[in-house]
Amino acid sequence: AHRESVGRLLLSLARDLDLADDLLQDTYLRARQGFSSYRNGDPRAWLAAIARNVYHSHARQRRVRSEVFSAQPERAESPPVDLAALLTVRQALAALPATFRTALIMKHYAGYTYQEIARHQGCPVGTAKWRVSEALSRLRLALGRERSEMMAECAGVHEIGLVDYVYGLLPK
């Protein structure tokens, strides 16, 4: 039931559709193995925690492998419509404080409610709302008025348009 939201979370972390699919399978394998430790909490939050751990485990293994073996050239992706704009948006997202970036991705990409974000970040619901709002405000400020209008154009697409555009998954 939570495949889509967990898949989007992994996609936002991995930034590679094929890798996200592989990590999603690993997430469900680990969830199945650890089901005996599940304590009837929020299943989506439980799966999201497993997914993050799977991704971080993969990233650690990849880092170790690249230190031991010579780096192989990565396959080329199809270029986005406006590479400069995409890079600017990615840099602006990366410059956000971690709590704001996480709240924004959880809300507009993974589809979490403000209550779930607040529970995950250990803060009141009002603070979670403020973090998402502040993250968007900082992005608008960093990207300027032109970029702000561009984000508004794609914000209504399946409720995840902003981050999908940021990671190059949707055309402008």
Side-chain angles (χ1 to χ4, degrees):
H2 304 293
R3 183 181 190 279
E4 190 175 321
S5 65
V6 174
R8 281 191 241 136
L9 174 65
L10 286 167
L11 183 60
S12 71
L13 292 170
R15 298 180 181 167
D16 179 338
L17 190 57
D18 294 330
L19 177 59
D21 284 340
D22 292 343
L23 295 177
L24 182 63
Q25 288 179 355
D26 290 346
T27 297
Y28 278 100
L29 288 174
R30 285 197 192 174
R32 186 174 182 199
Q33 290 171 348
F35 191 72
S36 60
S37 66
Y38 177 61
R39 296 192 179 112
N40 294 330
D42 181 11
R44 191 163 74 172
W46 182 65
L47 288 169
I50 293 171
R52 279 190 306 276
N53 291 338
V54 165
Y55 169 75
H56 291 303
S57 175
H58 170 77
R60 276 192 304 275
Q61 289 174 354
R62 188 174 179 188
R63 228 182 334 237
V64 169
R65 244 183 275 128
S66 69
E67 289 175 6
V68 175
F69 301 108
S70 62
Q72 297 178 357
E74 295 196 18
R75 58 189 165 131
E77 297 179 16
S78 58
V81 175
D82 185 357
L83 192 56
L86 183 62
L87 182 60
T88 303
V89 173
R90 284 184 179 173
Q91 288 172 341
L93 264 178
L96 290 174
T99 54
F100 293 158
R101 185 176 52 250
T102 301
L104 179 68
I105 288 173
M106 287 178 76
K107 178 65 180 162
H108 290 285
Y109 193 71
Y112 283 82
T113 64
Y114 288 115
Q115 291 79 13
E116 292 169 327
I117 295 169
R119 225 175 308 135
H120 173 75
Q121 292 191 331
C123 65
V125 174
T127 302
K129 289 179 180 180
W130 174 77
R131 286 178 179 171
V132 171
S133 174
E134 184 66 19
L136 287 172
S137 296
R138 289 184 183 195
L139 279 177
R140 285 185 190 107
L141 184 65
L143 299 173
R145 184 167 176 77
E146 177 183 333
R147 299 288 185 240
S148 173
E149 291 168 1
M150 175 186 66
M151 290 184 336
E153 287 176 13
C154 64
V157 180
H158 303 293
E159 300 178 7
I160 56 171
L162 168 66
V163 180
D164 278 340
Y165 176 77
V166 168
Y167 290 120
L169 299 175
L170 291 178
K172 183 175 179 184

